[in-house]
Amino acid sequence: IGVGLVGFGLFFLLFGMLLYFDSVLLAFGNILFLSGLVFIIGFKRTFTFFFQRPKMKGTSFFLGGVIIVLMRWPLLGMLLEAYGFISLFR
């Protein structure tokens, strides 16, 4: 279930970007991606991954970008998410 949710989340994110940053598709993709991540590695491990002390900057940018996308500012939100994603996984 988790891999399917992550896959659909990435599909909706890509499709939302192809349709000129459609905020509904991007928001749906973010929600599916994060819920799929929770299903794959579990709630506790997801929480500990995102809220480690050295990764707080990346987490704040990533989750802030998700919130900005949900508030229907998709371009700014995706830029914040991209920076947070790069900062989290480097």
Side-chain angles (χ1 to χ4, degrees):
I1 293 174
V3 175
L5 286 174
V6 168
F8 276 120
L10 292 176
F11 171 74
F12 278 111
L13 284 172
L14 177 67
F15 199 57
M17 283 189 255
L18 288 175
L19 291 175
Y20 301 112
F21 291 96
D22 183 35
S23 60
V24 175
L25 290 173
L26 291 173
F28 197 59
N30 283 328
I31 292 169
L32 286 174
F33 178 76
L34 289 175
S35 63
L37 193 63
V38 169
F39 269 100
I40 290 174
I41 64 175
F43 184 76
K44 184 178 178 182
R45 292 178 85 191
T46 304
F47 186 81
T48 57
F49 172 76
F50 277 108
F51 293 104
Q52 292 175 2
R53 181 66 107 187
K55 295 183 179 186
M56 284 302 290
K57 181 180 175 183
T59 299
S60 62
F61 274 101
F62 184 75
L63 295 178
V66 170
I67 291 171
I68 297 290
V69 167
L70 289 173
M71 291 177 11
R72 296 193 181 251
W73 287 20
L75 187 60
L76 178 63
M78 288 306 291
L79 288 173
L80 289 174
E81 279 184 47
Y83 178 73
F85 189 81
I86 290 169
S87 160
L88 270 173
F89 291 107
R90 83 179 139 106

